[in-house]
Structure formats: C-alpha cells, structure tokens
C-alpha cells in the first residue's frame, strides 16, 4: 500500500530535549515536505526537499532542521524544542518532474512541548 | 496575509443533497488547486484538483469549478453522504515555482446529516 509513515504519532516532552520525528514514504517520490498545523492558521510549510541531499526552508523553518540522506526518508529534527513548537505536524511526498501532481500526507504527529 | 481563504468554517447539509464548499485566493500566480479531505486523527487525503487551464474537473460525486477572473473555486459534492463528513481544505500552488509548496485555507467542517 502506498503510504507516508510518520513516527511517533504522539509525543509529550520537555523544553530543550532534542527530538526527531521520522517520515518515510514507499512511493519513490522525489519531493518531500513538512508542514505544521495550528488552530486558526491552517497548514504551513516548514521545510522541503526536492531530492536526496537537496533541502530548503519553507515559511516557518525557525527551530527546525531536516536531512535527506535517502530518498524514502525525511526526518524533522527539533534540536532544542520550545513550547511554541507544540503543534500537529504532517509530512508529505510528491512525484516530481510531472506537472501538477498532488502531495500525499502522513497521518500526523502531535507534539506537546512542556 | 492569507492567500487562500475559506470563509465558511462549517457547513451542514442533509444526506442526498448537494454540498458546496467555497474557496477564494488572492495570489494570481497560483495555477494549480487542490481539495483535501481530513478526518480526525488522520492526515489530509487528496480528493480532486484542477489546473488553471481548465474551469471544471469532475471525479464521481466530486466536481471542482474554477473561476479565474474571480479568483474563486468551489467543490460540489452530489449527492452528499454521511461518510463525507470531514474537514475540507482548499490548497493552491504555483507549478512554475521553485518550491511545490501548498498554501492552504483554514478548512471547512462539513457535516452531512442522515
């Protein structure tokens, strides 16, 4: 089954404790992206990657890092989490190189930073 | 500045009737538009899309209409079913941009009553 898998689905942690949210897709998609969803703000892009070793900032990259060492994986790293990063996070992937392709989303990771 | 607006936070319709969800955008560079459906505790699921060269796209019970001059699109669901009850997000992107970022509206909660 074609899917985007995120782990963990839920995490409660404390300020300053480094954490990583993993994202993996099995569709051989070149493009991957991270979004966060906050009440009243919709989904906003954090980082994206056009392919292996190619990443760039989205609209709200502060406090986050990403890496793309393999095509299927695109982890989101919070080096020193803060309470304002409490949010619902979604990873997405898309086939690149063909015009007008939809992005496919994972089921989300709810992070609570205390 | 919100570039994609869904002005109705919620909509309630009777089973079997038509559901019409609306979306407005301000960025004239957007040329690809998508609708996603989201159930609680799941990620957004791609529903239907339309490129700016078309004014209508149909897929089963779902039809999207695009009015470029008014910068307006709508999603019609006919007939509506209780299983359609979900949050619907309108999204837009620039296919010629360097980033395939999706800009989302805030969503409309559709409730289909049996």
């Amino acid at each position: 089954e074609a899917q985007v898998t995120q782990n963990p689905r839920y995490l409660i942690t404390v300020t300053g404790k480094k954490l990583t949210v993993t994202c993996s897709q099995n569709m051989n998609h070149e493009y991957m992206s991270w979004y966060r969803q906050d009440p009243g703000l919709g989904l906003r892009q954090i980082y994206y990657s056009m392919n292996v070793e190619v990443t760039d900032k989205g609209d709200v990259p502060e406090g986050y890092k990403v890496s793309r060492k393999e095509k299927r994986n695109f982890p989101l790293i919070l080096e020193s989490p803060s309470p304002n990063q409490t949010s619902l996070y979604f990873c997405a992937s898309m086939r690149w190189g063909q015009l007008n392709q939809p992005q496919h989303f994972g089921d989300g990771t709810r992070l609570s930073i205390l | 500045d919100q570039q994609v607006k869904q002005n109705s936070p919620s909509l309630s319709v009777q089973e079997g009737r038509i559901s019409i969800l609306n979306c407005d955008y301000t960025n004239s560079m957007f040329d690809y538009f998508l609708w996603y459906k989201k159930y609680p505790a799941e990620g957004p699921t791609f529903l239907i899309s339309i490129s700016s060269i078309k004014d209508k796209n149909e897929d089963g019970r779902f039809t999207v209409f695009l009015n470029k001059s008014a910068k307006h699109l709508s999603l019609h669901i006919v007939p509506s079913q209780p299983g359609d009850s979900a949050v619907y997000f309108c999204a837009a992107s620039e296919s010629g941009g360097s980033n395939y970022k999706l800009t989302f509206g805030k969503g409309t909660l559709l409730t289909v009553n049996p």
Side-chain angles (χ1 to χ4, degrees):
Chain A
E1 180 189 351
Q3 58 187 8
V4 179
T5 303
Q6 297 178 225
N7 280 295
R9 294 290 314 277
Y10 305 91
L11 179 63
I12 301 173
T13 188
V14 295
T15 299
K17 186 177 181 181
K18 180 180 179 180
L19 68 91
T20 299
V21 184
T22 64
C23 174
S24 180
Q25 50 92 7
N26 62 0
M27 295 169 279
N28 202 35
H29 285 169
E30 294 80 9
Y31 179 91
M32 296 185 75
S33 182
W34 277 102
Y35 294 82
R36 60 179 285 175
Q37 183 185 10
D38 300 291
L41 294 176
L43 283 84
R44 296 176 294 165
Q45 189 186 56
I46 304 170
Y47 267 94
Y48 68 98
S49 170
M50 301 290 264
N51 214 324
V52 175
E53 302 291 1
V54 181
T55 64
D56 207 346
K57 297 176 181 178
D59 291 329
V60 288
E62 296 77 19
Y64 304 95
K65 285 176 57 177
V66 293
S67 70
R68 188 89 182 275
K69 294 184 169 54
E70 303 165 288
K71 196 172 186 180
R72 64 183 293 126
N73 296 322
F74 189 44
L76 180 69
I77 303 156
L78 285 71
E79 293 268 4
S80 183
S82 62
N84 65 10
Q85 293 177 297
T86 292
S87 187
L88 180 57
Y89 292 84
F90 292 102
C91 179
S93 73
M94 180 184 76
R95 184 173 305 283
W96 180 59
Q98 297 178 23
L99 195 62
N100 295 339
Q101 294 294 305
Q103 293 186 28
H104 301 273
F105 286 81
D107 281 339
T109 295
R110 185 168 292 280
L111 288 184
S112 294
I113 316 293
L114 305 178
Chain B
D1 179 34
Q2 203 180 348
Q3 298 186 66
V4 176
K5 298 179 183 178
Q6 294 177 255
N7 291 320
S8 298
S10 63
L11 175 67
S12 183
V13 300
Q14 284 299 119
E15 181 178 5
R17 306 294 286 268
I18 184 172
S19 295
I20 300 176
L21 294 94
N22 293 303
C23 179
D24 297 294
Y25 62 97
T26 57
N27 187 342
S28 57
M29 298 300 292
F30 289 149
D31 59 2
Y32 182 50
F33 304 90
L34 310 90
W35 284 94
Y36 283 84
K37 178 169 71 173
K38 186 181 181 304
Y39 294 118
E42 294 183 12
T45 302
F46 170 69
L47 197 56
I48 192 169
S49 65
I50 188 167
S51 77
S52 59
I53 61 172
K54 294 186 175 182
D55 54 19
K56 176 183 174 181
N57 189 26
E58 199 170 349
D59 184 0
R61 296 186 298 113
F62 303 92
T63 303
V64 56
F65 295 91
L66 175 63
N67 182 334
K68 287 193 296 289
S69 61
K71 293 191 175 68
H72 176 84
L73 64 154
S74 61
L75 174 68
H76 292 211
I77 306 173
V78 184
S80 301
Q81 300 174 353
D84 296 329
S85 296
V87 176
Y88 289 78
F89 289 98
C90 171
S93 71
E94 299 176 40
S95 59
S98 60
N99 178 3
Y100 291 88
K101 177 183 72 176
L102 291 176
T103 301
F104 284 86
K106 294 181 181 180
T108 297
L109 173 62
L110 173 66
T111 303
V112 181
N113 301 301

